[in-house]
Amino acid sequence: MMASELRFRSIWISDIHLGTAGCQADYLLDFLKHTESEQLYLVGDIIDGWAMKRSWYWQQSHNDVIQKILRKARKGTQVTYIPGNHDEGARQFIGLMFGEIKIEDEVIHTMANGKKYLVIHGDQFDGVIQCARWLAVVGDQAYELTLKLNRWFNRARARMGLGYWSLSQYLKHKVKKAVSFVSDFEEAVAAEAKKRDLDGVICGHIHKAEMRMIDGIEYCNDGDWVESLSALVEMPNGELRILTWQKMYDAQTANIHKLLSPIEPQTV
């Protein structure tokens, strides 16, 4: 493990889905232990209320993640929690504080370089959730089944000495309608930031870490802690980067420079 911590001005994480078997809480806890920031944004779907209504699943590691975040808040990290659709029950507490954590519906974040970004979970721009909630719940259950198959598949790969591979990410890229949905979502979120005369938008929701330019707006998605194990981080100069985490910190040490290399934006 690295002796020094990775320090950033700001960190954004979302779609942790605590309360589900698919949650990679151990990976996230490792990330939280070895990173520090002035500001930490929890961009929705932190606790999966949908899944917990169906069946109870809660591990010690899920408690540890919450305790670690609360500890960071007590020690001076400015923690902001923006609820998503899976933890929408927390939206009734918007504007309040919980254990030094501020709960907001959305935030305008100003980078060190002066650029302003809308920070929002993003489910407000998901037509399925807004217009056909029952279909979203059915889709969520199908996604949960895919993750179970994915865990079985990767245990088999591990025994063969092979690395992690995401079945659900593969299916998303292969299914034309899923690809179209992601593109429509990204463009809708970017359009909202453009309407407000902002420089960019930071969101989660679709479990796809990405940074790219859309019609003059920098679209940033911090990914998730079910599949991609990723976070969006702000460097001291205001530059944004996607950091993909690995549990084995010695592997992280070897690859850290590669993981922190800038991602070239693509113009749409």
Side-chain angles (χ1 to χ4, degrees), residues 1-219:
M1 299 224 175
M2 291 180 64
S4 59
E5 294 173 330
L6 298 174
R7 294 184 177 273
F8 305 102
R9 185 171 183 265
S10 308
I11 295 175
W12 292 264
I13 57 176
S14 74
D15 300 273
I16 300 171
H17 292 276
L18 294 169
T20 69
C23 172
Q24 303 281 3
D26 289 331
Y27 285 73
L28 178 57
L29 188 61
D30 190 60
F31 171 81
L32 293 171
K33 284 180 178 178
H34 296 97
T35 56
E36 290 295 339
S37 61
E38 297 173 21
Q39 301 177 83
L40 172 62
Y41 291 95
L42 308 174
V43 195
D45 288 0
I46 305 305
I47 297 176
D48 195 326
W50 289 13
M52 293 180 71
K53 285 180 181 178
R54 294 194 295 268
S55 62
W56 181 261
Y57 182 91
W58 195 267
Q59 300 293 302
Q60 180 59 46
S61 58
H62 297 200
N63 274 340
D64 294 341
V65 166
I66 291 176
Q67 290 300 320
K68 184 63 177 176
I69 292 172
L70 289 170
R71 193 174 302 117
K72 282 180 177 290
R74 289 196 300 270
K75 290 186 175 181
T77 300
Q78 183 179 325
V79 181
T80 303
Y81 173 28
I82 299 170
N85 50 299
H86 283 262
D87 49 9
E88 60 191 352
R91 284 175 170 160
Q92 63 185 305
F93 304 111
I94 285 171
L96 302 179
M97 299 285 291
F98 174 74
E100 306 299 323
I101 296 175
K102 191 172 184 180
I103 304 174
E104 297 285 5
D105 189 43
E106 61 179 51
V107 172
I108 303 299
H109 174 82
T110 302
M111 303 291 173
N113 55 20
K115 292 184 177 181
K116 296 183 182 296
Y117 286 64
L118 172 65
V119 184
I120 193 167
H121 178 66
D123 60 293
Q124 301 91 330
F125 302 91
D126 183 339
V128 174
I129 288 177
Q130 296 304 316
C131 302
R133 182 182 174 88
W134 66 269
L135 185 58
V137 173
V138 171
D140 182 61
Q141 293 176 3
Y143 178 63
E144 196 171 298
L145 175 60
T146 303
L147 291 178
K148 288 180 180 178
L149 293 173
N150 195 60
R151 289 194 296 275
W152 174 85
F153 182 71
N154 276 287
R155 281 196 293 268
R157 284 178 62 89
R159 286 195 291 270
M160 293 185 289
L162 300 174
Y164 180 83
W165 182 80
S166 175
L167 172 63
S168 57
Q169 290 283 5
Y170 173 79
L171 292 175
K172 286 177 187 177
H173 284 94
K174 286 296 181 182
V175 179
K176 186 176 181 180
K177 287 187 177 179
V179 173
S180 177
F181 163 78
V182 168
S183 178
D184 291 346
F185 170 84
E186 294 172 342
E187 290 175 7
V189 174
E192 179 65 21
K194 188 177 184 69
K195 184 172 72 175
R196 301 192 194 191
D197 199 27
L198 300 171
D199 298 291
V201 60
I202 297 169
C203 62
H205 186 56
I206 59 172
H207 294 208
K208 186 175 185 290
E210 187 167 14
M211 289 174 58
R212 65 189 183 106
M213 297 300 295
I214 302 177
D215 194 21
I217 296 295
E218 187 169 24
Y219 167 85

